[in-house]
Amino acid sequence: MSWDPEVEELKRRQQLARAMGGAENIERQHKAGRLTVRERIERLLDGDSFHETGALAGVAKYEGETLASIRPANFVMGTGRIDGRRVVVGGDDFTVRGGANDASIGGKQGYSEKMARELRLPIVRLVDGTGGGGSVKTYEIAGRTYVPGNPAWDVIAASMSEIPVIAAALGPVAGLGAARVACSHFSVMVRGIAQVFVAGPPVVERAFGTPIDKESLGGWKIQVEAGAVDNVVDSEDEAFAQIRRVLGYLPRNVWEMPPRATPADDPRRRQHELLSIIPRNRRRPYDVRALVRHVVDRDSFLEVGAKYGPSLVAGLARLDGYPVGVMANDPMHSGGALTADGSEKMTRMVDLCDTFHLPVVNFVDNPGFLIGTQAEKAGTIRKGVRALQAVYQASVPWITIIVRRVFGVAGAGHANVQALNLRYAWPSGDWGSLPLEGGIEAAYKRELEAAPDRAALLKEIEARLNVYRSPFRTAEAFNVEEIIDPRDTRPLLTDWIALAYDNEATRLGPKTRGMRP
């Protein structure tokens, strides 16, 4: 006697699970411009690579001993592959009670987090709903209230220091769902269909008495500018493409080095445009993203968090196929000064690179911390020294390219200057305690106030001090180790990167300081 009847029952139940919240709710999801969770998983992963765990979980109704119907748990999870590399993926099913707590969602969601950490695999969260807390309807179902406890948060916190955690907001995301998006190494949301908030419009309206719509409360413009979400894209497929790309720069876990891609660019390439990209007029900005693209492997730079702390550009790239983290001051915003938001962005990028053994390339044109009343109100110095702390705590290989300004406390944080401090300066280098512009007024205040012709004296002092401004004088004192032809930047970096990887490979495993979201 075989087990064919039970196997047929298994297939029937699996088919019921694939029906999700039913045809009507699936149609409503599609009319809202959103894919279902199963469609998302199919598009994200390599073809036919998804192995589902917990498909049979749900709220069942029986007629006698026979299953009459089942409402599947609204969380779908399992393992699959992205570009051949195994990952764990878990997604909310909005077609079943809007992705809120139902059936065994708490157990399944937590299980996906535990699976990723125990198997040392990256986890991708496809978030579309509250993702765990549930609505107040839960009280009536359970016949009681409950003391909140975020499921598996101990695992979620620990995973940030061990495995890549990627999150996508793919619909209205509230409460614990929003926290799951924010507690990640990289997050992305889809413009127009995704919103992220601590509490949704009905709760906010009840609390403050003012009607508000989802987009005004937690749309992409708010969240990417606030830094709660890293990147925004125009479609779900673009979100999946960014997820795949980010994972391509990262190792499966901290016990491995990031994967090298097959080099597709000349490591000795000398880009002529670098010779003139920095204006001779120190007050003029330039396109720092173009500078970065001229140095790293062609088409390899992926910017992260462009709308947040825009005076600092941060992202991932490759040098001769090796993944690296990149930072660069952007003089188009706040003159490239390190702002409060820019400091937080810097802290997070340094932590990410240090956690996953990504060597850092820092292109420096930093006039210092942003000054002024608003900067002080934003807590710039507190957040700024936290960024400096991250730099000094990092043990990952680090190289600095000084392209122009290095001033003040923030400028001094371009690397751990008490360590080897491997750095190269361009002839456009300009550094000191303060820029001459502004610094003269502070240092020569009395003389200027007493001068019969203030403007003439100011010009005279500036001309006198400009003599000492040459970066070659600094090199004579070995206060800057090397001044290079800007066109030699890429060859020097591609020569360094293999050694950096060899050295970092001797320090695999979690760093003593864990990653913070």
Side-chain angles (χ1 to χ4, degrees), residues 117-365:
R117 187 182 179 215
E118 292 287 334
L119 298 181
R120 296 184 175 180
L121 296 175
I123 185 166
V124 180
R125 303 180 186 135
L126 305 177
V127 189
D128 188 0
T130 64
S135 71
V136 295
K137 286 184 179 179
T138 311
Y139 302 166
E140 191 170 16
I141 295 169
R144 58 176 174 81
T145 59
Y146 63 94
V147 177
N150 297 331
W153 202 262
D154 57 335
V155 178
I156 289 172
S159 292
M160 288 292 289
S161 299
E162 297 177 355
I163 58 174
V165 179
I166 312 295
L170 303 173
V173 176
L176 183 57
R180 290 167 58 222
V181 170
C183 191
S184 62
H185 297 108
F186 174 77
S187 59
V188 61
M189 67 188 297
V190 182
R191 186 183 281 105
I193 70 168
Q195 301 85 30
V196 178
F197 23 63
V198 175
V203 179
V204 172
E205 182 176 342
R206 183 63 182 267
F208 297 99
T210 304
I212 190 168
D213 62 75
K214 291 185 292 186
E215 197 67 21
S216 300
L217 180 61
W220 69 270
K221 187 170 178 58
I222 291 172
Q223 296 298 8
V224 296
E225 290 184 1
V229 177
D230 293 314
N231 287 8
V232 60
V233 293
D234 291 319
S235 70
E236 294 195 48
D237 283 329
E238 287 181 71
F240 303 148
Q242 284 213 354
I243 291 169
R244 289 193 294 268
R245 190 174 176 190
V246 168
L247 286 173
Y249 293 103
L250 302 177
R252 289 188 307 172
N253 53 61
V254 299
W255 291 272
E256 298 180 4
M257 288 296 293
R260 184 187 184 191
T262 302
D265 193 2
D266 180 6
R268 309 301 298 172
R269 173 167 55 83
R270 300 175 79 249
Q271 201 73 29
H272 183 72
E273 289 84 349
L274 293 175
L275 197 58
S276 57
I277 199 166
I278 305 298
R280 280 195 171 271
N281 184 340
R282 293 184 176 94
R283 295 180 181 273
R284 285 186 55 198
Y286 54 90
D287 185 351
V288 73
R289 291 171 179 82
L291 187 158
V292 170
R293 289 193 295 269
H294 286 321
V295 173
V296 301
D297 292 358
R298 294 188 191 277
D299 301 320
S300 73
F301 180 56
L302 174 64
E303 188 169 358
V304 176
K307 301 289 185 181
Y308 177 64
S311 66
L312 183 77
V313 172
L316 303 170
R318 291 183 184 275
L319 287 170
D320 200 24
Y322 292 100
V324 294
V326 173
M327 296 189 299
N329 302 100
D330 188 354
M332 295 283 192
H333 296 275
S334 303
L338 199 57
T339 64
D341 288 351
S343 297
E344 290 194 335
K345 183 177 183 177
M346 184 177 182
T347 300
R348 193 158 176 259
M349 176 55 63
V350 173
D351 281 358
L352 172 69
C353 293
D354 195 42
T355 296
F356 291 112
H357 313 292
L358 285 163
V360 175
V361 181
N362 190 18
F363 296 92
V364 180
D365 183 3

Side-chain angles (χ1 to χ4, degrees), residues 13-60:
R13 288 174 178 251
Q14 290 172 334
Q15 188 62 37
L16 289 172
R18 284 191 286 270
M20 296 176 284
E24 184 178 337
N25 287 340
I26 290 173
E27 183 181 3
R28 186 179 295 115
Q29 181 85 344
H30 287 160
K31 282 184 177 179
R34 312 208 305 271
L35 300 171
T36 66
V37 63
R38 293 184 178 278
E39 291 167 336
R40 288 165 175 163
I41 291 172
E42 182 180 351
R43 295 196 188 193
L44 171 69
L45 300 179
D46 297 348
D48 299 321
S49 70
F50 183 52
H51 178 84
E52 187 172 356
T53 300
L56 305 188
V59 177

Side-chain angles (χ1 to χ4, degrees), residues 424-470:
Y424 301 94
W426 288 5
S428 47
D430 185 27
W431 38 63
S433 57
L434 285 171
L436 288 187
E437 300 80 10
I440 292 175
E441 282 83 347
Y444 295 87
K445 182 179 178 181
R446 289 185 180 180
E447 293 93 325
L448 290 169
E449 287 176 348
D453 189 339
R454 186 182 187 281
L457 180 58
L458 181 63
K459 188 174 181 180
E460 177 192 326
I461 296 172
E462 186 172 338
R464 195 168 71 231
L465 294 181
N466 267 329
V467 173
Y468 307 107
R469 205 169 188 174
S470 167

